[in-house]
Amino acid sequence: MSAPRLLVVTDRTQARRPLPDVVAAAVAAGARAVWLRDRDLPGPERAALAADLRAVLDPVDGLLVWGGADGAPAGTAVHLSAADPFPAVRPPLVGRSCHSAAELARAAAEGCDWGTLSPFAPTASKPGYGPALGTAGLAALAPAAPPVLALGGVLPGDVAGCLSAGASGVAVMGPVMRDPAVVADYVAALARAQRV
């Protein structure tokens, strides 16, 4: 599997229902890749949550992405923060959070399968990361990187612009955590942009 075109990012503090229920609703709406970010959870709780999410994703051949490499179950895709070291044993798929040309260059040199590039737009979830890139920032940075997923404040109406600017897809947290049915809007926007 290559880089996902839509990556749902978890944040149980924003979820209006238990996270497995939110992910199940997102999968029902068309999500096929979920990044279990919630890195503050103790290892056993996080592993149990991952098992619950895998039970939702496996029937649709979905992808579970573990935030960070520490504690990742064997054979699980991982998404590294900008500061995380690259794992000694390469997982099957590796993404990395990026906010600059230098971080994207590092991800490319490491052979990452994708990089998230943020923030696309101002977002309450990640204050202090900025300024917002917008489509001009994406267009300037995306070509020299592994496949880029625009992250941070991306709404369904932004998808076509993100792809036109060179992004391979989008990663979304807040809107999906609050209303997982919105995944259908992102899936439709990705399909429309691909046909153009």
Side-chain angles (χ1 to χ4, degrees), residues 101-141:
E103 290 174 355
L104 285 168
R106 175 186 179 191
E110 293 170 327
C112 289
D113 298 288
W114 70 83
T116 56
L117 185 56
S118 65
F120 171 76
T123 174
S125 300
K126 284 280 194 171
Y129 285 90
L133 295 164
T135 53
L138 278 176
L141 295 173

Side-chain angles (χ1 to χ4, degrees), residues 40-55:
D40 61 315
L41 282 172
E45 285 180 46
R46 197 162 180 231
L49 182 56
D52 290 343
L53 300 187
R54 193 175 295 277

